[in-house]
Amino acid sequence: MATARPGPNLSRIAASLGVSVATVSNALSGKGRVSAELVERIRATAATLGYVPSQAGRALRTGRSGVLGLVLPDISNPLFPQIAQAIEHAAAIAGYGVLIADSRGDVGTQTEAIHRLVERGVDGMVIVPRRGTRIADAGCPVAVIDTPSTPGNTVSADHWQGGREIASHLRNLGHRKILLIGGSSASSVQNDRIGGFKSALDATIKTEVLWIEKLEEQDGPGCLLGLADKVQQGFTAFAAVSDLHALRALTELQRAGIAVPDSASVTGFDDLIWSPVVTPALTTIRMDIAAIAEIAITALVSAIQNGEPIKKGRPREASADEPLHVNRLVTAEKSRVPMQLVVRQSSGPLGLASTNLSAGELLT
Amino acid sequence: MATARPGPNLSRIAASLGVSVATVSNALSGKGRVSAELVERIRATAATLGYVPSQAGRALRTGRSGVLGLVLPDISNPLFPQIAQAIEHAAAIAGYGVLIADSRGDVGTQTEAIHRLVERGVDGMVIVPRRGTRIADAGCPVAVIDTPSTPGNTVSADHWQGGREIASHLRNLGHRKILLIGGSSASSVQNDRIGGFKSALDATIKTEVLWIEKLEEQDGPGCLLGLADKVQQGFTAFAAVSDLHALRALTELQRAGIAVPDSASVTGFDDLIWSPVVTPALTTIRMDIAAIAEIAITALVSAIQNGEPIKKGRPREASADEPLHVNRLVTAEKSRVPMQLVVRQSSGPLGLASTNLSAGELLT
DNA sequence: GTCGGGTGATTAATCGTTTAATCAAACGCC
DNA sequence: GGCGTTTGATTAAACGATTAATCACCCGAC
């Protein structure tokens, strides 16, 4: 239902005060010219009647629904809650509602989801794209949150810098042989993180990348990563591009009897919910999702308000010179938000144990 | 914007075919009387013109927005992605969109969030309540997902039965002294799980409940749970009411050098994303969220379609005999969906190691 | 030949809001 | 006092879809 049922509407207020609906509308929106005294009276009766403006009526007239769409690549991504929460909050402050759409990991479904949102009349949408997908024409302003290196990206965390931060951290702790653990080599976010990581290190430090997805193709999902072997080979630090992988590494190492951080350091990315409570608590990198969401929403809203020609009704022929489906990729002034290192217990200096490892390395 | 911009609307189609808008509307909705041949022609031109019905126009006329609200207690809950995904999917199939609202853990915010949804004109809403909150009058059909023991619950997993399942599992493995690990004693879900757990055991099995929230009030967030001591006291199994707590227990035990599952078993609840990939993989209980979502949405949609008197415009006086804010708590035929035990590696038979533990117990 | 019934389409009203255009009255100014 | 301007409010026309009521027409029946 559009509002409360026989819902107090503008005309009810108008009738009860003996004025016209237009005056009531003007008074409540503060737009036209209404005497201060009348504005006050209208406000009061609106309040006592429990007036709630009908979004449907407003949307129909203004051509704006006041709703934004949020398209997510894979809702089961553990980072999603934070993103959704931040977007919802930022949107609510800006006076917008948030309609969710799940791509379910599939690119086709993503296009379909976008279409559903358009059908529902969203004013704009925030898309967290699936692995370098091209965004289908949406016909409305679109803010993309991915990585700064993605063309069309509106705003995102500076994954590259995040990678540098964690690399410096491990370098300063004395680690010289580091295993990077990634999920899928197709993820631009993960590649950015790894790229940044490597860029912060000089030739004296050896790195290797382990792609879990590739490994699981052989050994099946949930297989061991073989980290104990890696320790034998002299790796003293394991830097995962996600806390999920870090957790996997941490438990695997612990199970193998390798003490963390005494014998090996483990770091993650994203500061997911479990990171502070596992033992040892995970050293990780946090993105300022609230800031990202706010920037994205602000850019989106401003694009909606400025850009849109308000859709003047042109009932006759659509003039052929204007494109039917404009896809406005919104840009923001600040497109990369720095990530913040969170040092906890899972990373530590290359200590006494490292001698063992050197020995192990010799054995190999 | 409501649809694509100068958006093809009913009148455009009507004009291009030389018929009336009403006929077009009838043809597309299949309601009035239109000749089969004309229906076909209208369908065709609607397709070629790329017609997308304006939800705003429809909502205004019918009083139905085609949107459901999803109210969550705390969006950062790791279970949220699954719920949101399932609800969104079920709603999409039923032809509804999903508007999210986050309570941010606060009860006041929850009422406020509900109000925002009502303002946006949702046809109904799904609420996952915060710790036994009373649902504020929403003025529209409401489906509640909590626990079967909560009054007003529409549908949910059978947490009690889930507790029984995991208890039997541990009993059959030979465990006789089990520590239950909960987060907050105020959570009805957790209490149901614990209640069910205990109900499946006889007096020969000793249990104790550890509430993390209470512990953290003393020792600060992220503190150790003191599980090594518990092992010393003879506990051989740790059953957490959430995988998050199970993970915390698992890593703490591993860090303390206690092998899982050889020296102690650990089980969780909910089958969260990391459960299959940690080492050892977590034994847990999974709820059939897809089924729950479908039942909730079905019940909600049927309440919307049957119950609502369609809001006949009554522009004059609201008849005093009908309540202004009816809060329809929707009920479903099947209100409790069974949970399913997922046995992995973190739980095992009480083996050789238990003798150590008996010894440890003697020491205490 | 006219009347009744069915068919296929149109007319027109309506949902609630916004907003350009209009209008009446009051006011200032020469 | 007449004229232009400002102020404060009203009128009326949209927005796009739905739907009850109406209408024209054809066909068979009495």
Side-chain angles (χ1 to χ4, degrees):
Chain A
M1 41 195 242
T3 77
R5 288 255 292 336
N9 49 11
L10 282 191
S11 33
R12 184 104 85 219
I13 299 180
S16 100
L17 278 172
V19 297
S20 77
V21 282
T23 303
V24 177
S25 174
N26 283 331
L28 292 178
S29 64
K31 284 203 171 171
R33 287 181 302 213
V34 188
S35 67
E37 180 261 354
L38 186 50
V39 166
E40 195 43 49
R41 277 203 298 151
I42 290 178
R43 285 249 159 79
T45 48
T48 60
L49 257 57
Y51 169 71
V52 179
S54 152
Q55 290 291 332
R58 176 174 297 168
L60 181 54
R61 176 62 224 243
T62 63
R64 300 253 171 87
S65 61
V67 174
L68 302 179
L70 174 60
V71 182
L72 292 144
D74 184 4
I75 236 176
S76 65
N77 182 315
L79 194 55
F80 167 60
Q82 297 182 43
I83 298 185
Q85 180 171 51
I87 294 283
E88 196 268 344
H89 190 235
I93 287 179
Y96 284 82
V98 176
L99 214 43
I100 58 174
D102 181 17
S103 306
R104 313 200 118 222
D106 183 52
V107 176
T109 318
Q110 173 170 299
T111 333
E112 193 187 307
I114 292 177
H115 190 242
R116 274 209 309 276
L117 287 180
V118 173
E119 276 192 345
R120 293 228 170 290
V122 297
D123 293 337
M125 40 210 264
V126 177
I127 301 184
V128 183
R130 172 114 190 113
R131 288 186 192 169
T133 315
R134 270 193 54 75
I135 306 302
D137 276 346
C140 67
V142 171
V144 175
I145 299 182
D146 192 13
T147 82
S149 62
T150 303
N153 177 68
T154 301
V155 58
S156 65
D158 192 338
H159 301 286
W160 184 276
Q161 167 257 339
R164 292 185 65 93
E165 297 273 343
I166 204 90
S168 313
H169 172 67
L170 290 174
R171 176 170 40 75
N172 294 342
L173 288 173
H175 297 277
R176 291 292 173 264
K177 198 160 178 189
I178 305 175
L179 185 71
L180 284 157
I181 303 176
S184 156
S185 55
S187 156
S188 46
V189 167
Q190 296 186 20
N191 278 315
D192 259 30
R193 290 173 174 184
I194 290 177
F197 191 99
K198 289 182 174 171
S199 79
L201 304 176
D202 53 39
T204 68
I205 299 185
K206 291 221 168 66
T207 63
E208 201 179 299
V209 180
L210 174 68
W211 293 111
I212 292 184
E213 201 175 79
K214 208 179 294 176
L215 193 68
E216 286 189 333
E217 275 177 19
Q218 301 173 6
D219 301 0
C223 66
L224 287 181
L225 305 180
L227 300 188
D229 282 353
K230 295 293 179 184
V231 170
Q232 287 300 312
Q233 292 168 26
F235 285 97
T236 63
F238 299 87
V241 297
S242 158
D243 281 354
L244 183 58
H245 303 138
L247 181 60
R248 189 163 176 175
L250 173 66
T251 54
E252 182 171 329
L253 288 168
Q254 285 187 332
R255 185 82 191 293
I258 297 163
V260 176
D262 301 332
S263 301
S265 286
V266 174
T267 64
F269 251 98
D270 292 341
D271 196 19
L272 298 182
I273 188 162
W274 62 78
S275 307
V277 298
V278 295
T279 304
L282 265 182
T283 291
T284 188
I285 296 263
R286 181 191 296 155
M287 39 197 246
D288 189 349
I289 300 192
I292 293 174
E294 203 200 310
I295 294 175
I297 295 294
T298 306
L300 200 50
V301 168
S302 104
I304 291 171
Q305 288 171 349
N306 303 334
E308 290 292 297
I310 302 276
K311 174 189 160 204
K312 266 301 167 197
R314 186 162 324 111
R316 291 301 95 200
E317 204 77 21
S319 61
D321 57 343
E322 63 180 350
L324 270 184
H325 292 286
V326 267
N327 192 21
R328 206 140 353 126
L329 283 178
V330 166
T331 55
E333 301 222 355
K334 185 172 181 167
S335 77
R336 55 183 68 195
V337 177
M339 299 188 84
Q340 184 196 351
L341 182 66
V342 181
V343 179
R344 296 205 183 94
Q345 286 88 51
S346 71
S347 62
L350 197 58
L352 181 120
S354 68
T355 52
N356 295 340
L357 299 173
S358 305
E361 192 169 18
L362 288 178
L363 286 176
T364 315
Chain B
M1 40 195 244
T3 77
R5 291 254 291 338
N9 48 11
L10 282 192
S11 31
R12 182 105 84 218
I13 299 180
S16 99
L17 278 173
V19 297
S20 77
V21 282
T23 303
V24 177
S25 174
N26 283 331
L28 293 178
S29 65
K31 285 203 169 169
R33 290 181 302 214
V34 188
S35 68
E37 180 261 354
L38 187 49
V39 166
E40 197 41 52
R41 276 203 298 150
I42 289 178
R43 285 251 160 76
T45 49
T48 59
L49 257 57
Y51 169 71
V52 179
S54 152
Q55 290 292 331
R58 176 175 296 168
L60 181 54
R61 177 61 224 244
T62 62
R64 299 255 170 84
S65 61
V67 173
L68 302 179
L70 175 60
V71 182
L72 292 144
D74 184 6
I75 238 176
S76 65
N77 183 314
L79 195 54
F80 167 62
Q82 296 183 43
I83 298 185
Q85 181 172 50
I87 293 282
E88 196 269 342
H89 190 233
I93 288 179
Y96 283 83
V98 176
L99 214 43
I100 58 173
D102 180 18
S103 305
R104 313 200 119 222
D106 183 53
V107 176
T109 319
Q110 173 170 299
T111 332
E112 193 188 307
I114 292 178
H115 190 242
R116 273 208 309 274
L117 287 180
V118 172
E119 277 192 344
R120 290 239 125 69
V122 297
D123 292 337
M125 42 209 267
V126 177
I127 302 185
V128 183
R130 172 112 190 115
R131 289 186 192 171
T133 314
R134 270 192 53 73
I135 306 301
D137 276 346
C140 68
V142 171
V144 175
I145 300 182
D146 192 13
T147 82
S149 62
T150 303
N153 177 67
T154 301
V155 59
S156 64
D158 193 339
H159 301 286
W160 184 277
Q161 167 257 338
R164 292 185 66 91
E165 297 274 343
I166 203 90
S168 313
H169 172 69
L170 290 175
R171 176 169 42 71
N172 294 341
L173 287 173
H175 297 278
R176 292 293 173 263
K177 199 161 177 188
I178 305 174
L179 185 71
L180 284 157
I181 303 177
S184 156
S185 55
S187 157
S188 46
V189 167
Q190 296 187 20
N191 278 313
D192 260 29
R193 290 173 173 184
I194 290 177
F197 191 98
K198 288 182 174 171
S199 79
L201 304 176
D202 55 37
T204 68
I205 299 186
K206 291 221 168 64
T207 62
E208 202 179 297
V209 181
L210 173 67
W211 293 111
I212 293 184
E213 200 174 82
K214 208 180 294 176
L215 193 68
E216 287 190 331
E217 277 177 18
Q218 299 173 8
D219 302 359
C223 65
L224 287 180
L225 305 178
L227 300 188
D229 283 354
K230 296 293 180 184
V231 170
Q232 285 300 311
Q233 292 168 26
F235 285 96
T236 63
F238 299 88
V241 296
S242 159
D243 281 354
L244 183 57
H245 304 137
L247 181 60
R248 189 163 174 175
L250 173 66
T251 53
E252 182 171 329
L253 288 168
Q254 284 186 331
R255 186 81 192 291
I258 297 162
V260 176
D262 300 332
S263 302
S265 286
V266 174
T267 64
F269 251 96
D270 292 340
D271 197 17
L272 298 183
I273 187 162
W274 62 78
S275 307
V277 298
V278 294
T279 304
L282 265 181
T283 290
T284 188
I285 297 264
R286 181 192 297 154
M287 39 198 247
D288 189 349
I289 300 193
I292 294 174
E294 202 201 311
I295 294 175
I297 296 294
T298 305
L300 200 51
V301 168
S302 104
I304 291 171
Q305 287 171 350
N306 302 333
E308 291 290 299
I310 302 279
K311 173 192 165 199
K312 267 299 165 196
R314 185 162 323 109
R316 291 299 95 202
E317 203 78 20
S319 62
D321 57 345
E322 64 179 351
L324 270 184
H325 290 287
V326 267
N327 191 21
R328 208 143 348 127
L329 282 178
V330 166
T331 56
E333 301 222 355
K334 184 171 181 167
S335 77
R336 56 184 68 195
V337 177
M339 298 189 84
Q340 184 196 352
L341 182 66
V342 181
V343 179
R344 295 204 184 94
Q345 286 87 52
S346 70
S347 62
L350 197 59
L352 182 120
S354 68
T355 52
N356 294 341
L357 300 173
S358 305
E361 192 169 19
L362 289 177
L363 286 178
T364 318

